[in-house]
Amino acid sequence: MKIACENCLTIYEAPDEKVKANELIECPVCQYININKKKIEVPPENTKKSAAVVDASTDKDYGKTMYGEVDEAGKVKQAEVQVTEGRLKAIPEDKELFVVISDSSGTEIKHQIKTSECILGRGEGSDIIINDPEVSRKHSAIDIYENKFVIRDLESTNGTYLNDTRIKEDLLKEGDRIRIGNTLLTFVVKTI
């Protein structure tokens, strides 16, 4: 039976006997112990997609967008849609969030994320300005939904990479490496 990890949203095959016996199942990707095991079905290839659904076979040039739960119409939801349903954008009160920017000279600069939608780019409208000619004016966004964090590429020219994989959007966790242009950023979560 295919199930979706509650933590990283990876879809993987779980032994039917473990699911039926209601045993705890460890995600092979993030080692999270899944408690609410929901069976999912991958939609047929010929279904139309809505704005909230991505088909990895036709949306080219994005190495990874995490998938998860299937909606009522049988379509797989994007990570952001699944994570954000019923949640408001908000900075958690018990945590401080940062990106640490490492430039090619090895200098590290720590920037606190102070808004629930933090734009990364080289333009004036960005919350965190990155001085790199390979970075778009509004390159990426980090969206904060309570204790869930999502990074989105904002249709940048050179793409957004999460842990060396080009993404359209994906979940962020402590220590993740983000590369935009020639600049490396590390996502840091500090409990207050």
Side-chain angles (χ1 to χ4, degrees), residues 6 29 33 67 101 111 114 123 147 150 166 168 177 186:
E6 299 166 4
V29 175
I33 303 297
Y67 299 117
I101 300 174
H111 292 276
K114 297 179 181 178
N147 286 314
V150 177
R166 187 170 181 164
K168 188 171 187 177
R177 296 176 328 276
T186 304

Side-chain angles (χ1 to χ4, degrees), residues 104-117:
S104 56
S105 70
T107 305
E108 290 189 345
I109 302 168
K110 190 176 190 178
H111 292 276
Q112 185 171 5
I113 298 173
K114 297 179 181 178
T115 61
S116 58
E117 181 183 52

Side-chain angles (χ1 to χ4, degrees), residues 35-170:
I35 298 167
N36 297 325
K37 294 170 276 300
K38 298 177 186 173
K39 180 179 177 184
I40 67 156
E41 294 179 19
V42 179
E45 291 183 26
N46 60 353
T47 52
K48 288 184 179 179
K49 61 182 179 176
S50 69
V53 177
V54 170
D55 179 359
S57 64
T58 60
D59 288 350
K60 51 189 173 220
D61 206 17
Y62 292 104
K64 180 178 169 193
T65 296
M66 297 295 280
Y67 299 117
E69 189 175 303
V70 177
D71 67 12
E72 301 80 34
K75 297 178 180 171
V76 181
K77 299 177 185 179
Q78 283 183 330
E80 184 178 11
V81 173
Q82 180 174 339
V83 168
T84 61
E85 277 185 330
R87 298 177 191 247
L88 299 174
K89 281 188 178 182
I91 300 285
E93 293 179 12
D94 62 336
K95 294 181 175 57
E96 289 182 335
L97 308 173
F98 300 92
V99 289
V100 178
I101 300 174
S102 304
D103 63 18
S104 56
S105 70
T107 305
E108 290 189 345
I109 302 168
K110 190 176 190 178
H111 292 276
Q112 185 171 5
I113 298 173
K114 297 179 181 178
T115 61
S116 58
E117 181 183 52
C118 179
I119 305 295
L120 308 171
R122 65 178 166 82
E124 290 181 26
S126 299
D127 297 302
I128 297 177
I129 297 176
I130 299 169
N131 189 16
D132 179 343
E134 298 297 315
V135 172
S136 298
R137 286 180 180 85
K138 289 190 176 183
H139 197 103
S140 302
I142 297 176
D143 296 320
I144 312 301
Y145 294 89
E146 299 170 5
N147 286 314
K148 299 287 185 178
F149 319 112
V150 177
I151 183 157
R152 292 181 291 126
D153 183 74
L154 299 177
E155 299 181 13
S156 64
T157 303
N158 295 319
T160 299
Y161 292 80
L162 179 62
N163 300 321
D164 300 320
T165 302
R166 187 170 181 164
I167 55 102
K168 188 171 187 177
E169 75 169 22
D170 209 337

